[in-house]
Amino acid sequence: MTRITVFLVLCLSIFTQNALASVLAIDYGSDWIKASLMSPGVPFDVLLDRSSKRKIQSTVGWKREDRLFGSDAFNVAGRFPTDSFSSLKYLQAASYDSQSVSFYKSISQAELAETSRGTVALKRPDGTEWSVEELIAMQLAYIRDLAESAAQEKVVDVILTVPPYYTVQERDAVVDAIEIAGMKTLALIHDGTAVAVNYAMTRTFSEKPEYHVIYDAGASSIRATIVGFSSEGKKSSPTTLTVKGVGYDRSTGGTELDRRLREILVNDFVKKHKKDIRQDKRGMAKLWKEAGRVKAILSANAEAMSSVESVAFDIDYRSKVTRKEFENACKDLKIRFAKPIFDALSHAGLSLDNVTSVILAGGASRTPMIQAAVKAAVGESKIALNVNADEAAVLGAALHGASLSRQFKTKDIRVTDITPYDIQVSYNSETKSNAAQPRVINTVVFPSGSKHGNKKTLTFKRKDDFVLRLAYKSAPVPGYPTDILEVSISGIQDAYEQLIESGATDPVVKATVVLSESGFANFQDVVAFGEIKDDSLTGKLKSLLNNVGSTESESEKETEVRLSPSSTVASEGAGETSGDGKEKKEKEKEKPKDTIPLKIETKWSSIPPMTGAEKRTARDRLRTIDLAEAATRRKEEARNALEAYLYRVRDLLEEEGDTPFRKCSTEEERKALGKKLEDTFDWLHEDGDHASTADYVKHRTDLEKFERPVVYRYNEIKEFPHALNNSQMWNWQTRMFITEAKMNLSVEAQGGEVARYTQEEVDSLEKTLKEHETWLNEVVEKQKGVMYYEDPAVEAGELRERAKVLESALQRMVRKKVTRRKTTSSSSSSREGTKTGTKVESEPTNTKHDEL
Ligand SMILES: *[C@@H]1O[C@H](CO)[C@@H](O)[C@H](O)[C@H]1NC(C)=O
Ligand SMILES: *[C@@H]1O[C@H](CO)[C@@H](O)[C@H](O)[C@H]1NC(C)=O
Ligand SMILES: *[C@@H]1O[C@H](CO)[C@@H](O)[C@H](O)[C@H]1NC(C)=O
């Protein structure tokens, strides 16, 4: 860790651009959120929350009107079980009737509702509904605020970790939440890959790839990622990090263990107390928290005492849970703990022998039964505990984000990630007659294991408008929709005619599918293309195109589509396609005239991403509560300020003896102030709870009106001697100056050196001095007769202003440019010192001033 820090501090000092934007990395987990900030001048580390914790409980909630985050929100569940929302990751892009939702209902007391998009919203007791994206956006905005106060600037770019198995829809839900939170998605990175980046940062590799398994056991799932690390050998050459295979279990993880442990407590409670605690939301929420606590104790101990005061029905629950009992309840999971490793190996086409180590990451990897299962499966010698299980992913994500933003110089690590799913394009075959049933043709464009950042182009020889569907070949999760989107292509015939007019032969439709670096699949370009006759190529091309989809032969299944070799495009990288299907057009670099873009209409097949309008509405809703909270804070501050002021005034009035306050006030004034103070206290007690910010401020200023004259006198009495001293000092300085100037004039009169100032100038200054002296004497005389509790005869401010007039007159003289009057001429004009053509020298002006 320290090594990375040092390395980065060094690198950050030689950044390449002047204006560096910070990059925020967030590891958004089902139980915990970790964040890290890459920002110039901020030491690279995990971001701390307001109570200096390194991880933040992944919960948002309310305590009546107050919105809470982190452990505050989590802990409130015992009292307000339907106002505390945890484990929201389970609900990302989950349709209301999905398995994830039924699982969620088994772990959370929250009330769910269905959104217009068929996804889930959570319902607060007051009836307001918040979509999963909005609640997650609140959490992300909370993290953003932490980051912005650390960076001292706006933070916009964010990189977020997602499990490798996240579908396009789930990724859309992540990106939508980021946008609602007012940030921009720099990239999504698979969590195992992020751990690998962090691992590679401080290590060197050889040309021969070295394989490691990143075993990441989190709250909601267990993931295994096989990563190959290599480097060209030379010190400066980049490290290549290639994901070779992934394996995962979406229903085993820390949360499932919590659920089973709570079942033990629930069953025990029901047995002991013969009451159905399942019907008690508070009780269930309290036991959920307790299960997490007991699980942590059982990680280090053979048994734990569970104890919850007044858990439900006024019963204080106490019970002993043994690790054995807990592990028995999880017996069926045992074989599932290590399985993702072997799935990942087989996905990668490797065996355990090829693997140097199995690196454990994720909070649940500390659970003894999980660690034991992994050890038993891969052998103790392969287990590596050399990364920080909690923080490796977020730090790796930050490092990757920094390299993507290209603004920070970090170790050059080239990352290649893959998709675990077969992604296919489907379409109906052309039919000769309307009566014939079209055949559905499926073509896998990105088989499982395909690299992110790839494109493929499909070529169709079809004349009529048609529809292309993009889908997972099989359900990513049983019961999960396979369809991603479909595009309706139109205007083909017109485009063909145009192409033929410009000399093209045998035009075709080309559709390019991209699999972006962040794992989104989408159509990028759909065009009509016709090769303009070129003798050297025509023959070759014709024969090529003739093989493509020109026949309706039912037997030739796969020949209808021809994939261009991916290698010709793979190197380009696909660019990000954003969640709502906006397609980033390739730069229009001298597009040959043989290509005409076709009109396409995209339709989302299963769970659509949020539309721009939906996201704007969501942002506005969030902003509304942000503003309301800010107003509440201001109101509380105004109330606190008023209260503090009331007590201060009361103390002033009650203080015994010759206090300055007493000296400077009359009996009547103190009485009036005391009366006003009582009235204000009364108002605060009676109406204070329903008052507005303006009311608090008004009551404060009203009271101040009574106190102000006293404070004014007191301040004047304190200030007067200083101001007087200042006035007298300028009198004295001016008097000294005049005396000297007069002496110089008399020297000049006696035929000596020419004096610097003329008689008129000296007289004028002396006049100013006399006026000031006279005025000062008068007011000092008057002030002598003024009592403490009376207003002063003259304000200290006026003394200072008058002294300033004298000071300026003196300064003007001192700073005056010196004119060397010719000694030969003693005419009055030369005495004015303004004759043109005479050499004018400027004295160093400030020296005299400084001497004063
Ligand atoms: C994996 O190990 C097997 C057997 O030890 C070996 O034959 C194979 O070449 C290795 N594969 C890689 C990619 O290193
Ligand atoms: C007035 O000025 C003199 C000389 O700078 C200083 O010694 C004296 O403490 C001053 N008195 C006040 C009341 O500021
Ligand atoms: C008086 O004359 C001396 C000597 O020339 C000079 O340094 C000084 O600045 C003069 N002072 C004034 C007030 O003119």
Side-chain angles (χ1 to χ4, degrees), residues 620-646:
D620 289 345
R621 292 187 77 197
L622 260 63
R623 196 172 302 132
T624 306
I625 55 171
D626 284 344
L627 290 175
E629 283 176 355
T632 306
R633 267 198 305 278
R634 275 198 304 278
K635 190 166 126 180
E636 273 164 20
E637 279 163 15
R639 186 191 166 122
N640 291 343
L642 173 63
E643 264 178 311
Y645 182 61
L646 294 184

Side-chain angles (χ1 to χ4, degrees), residues 736-745 753-757 762 813 843 848:
M736 297 281 288
F737 180 88
I738 291 170
T739 310
E740 196 181 295
K742 278 182 173 170
M743 242 156 69
N744 285 2
L745 278 171
E753 216 175 316
V754 176
R756 216 177 135 179
Y757 304 102
V762 176
M813 293 281 269
E843 285 254 298
K848 185 80 184 180

Side-chain angles (χ1 to χ4, degrees), residues 721-722 725-726 729:
H722 299 288
N725 211 3
N726 178 62
M729 184 202 55

Side-chain angles (χ1 to χ4, degrees), residues 500-553:
I500 289 166
E501 248 169 53
S502 32
T505 49
D506 299 325
V508 292
V509 172
K510 281 174 182 269
T512 304
V513 199
V514 296
L515 179 59
S516 83
E517 293 288 356
S518 296
F520 289 100
N522 205 340
F523 287 97
Q524 194 173 48
D525 279 312
V526 180
V527 298
F529 170 82
E531 191 76 15
I532 308 291
K533 235 184 174 80
D534 178 334
D535 285 344
S536 60
L537 276 174
T538 330
K540 241 163 94 186
L541 235 121
K542 248 189 172 165
S543 68
L544 188 103
L545 295 176
N546 278 342
N547 282 333
V548 180
S550 55
T551 78
E552 281 300 297
S553 154

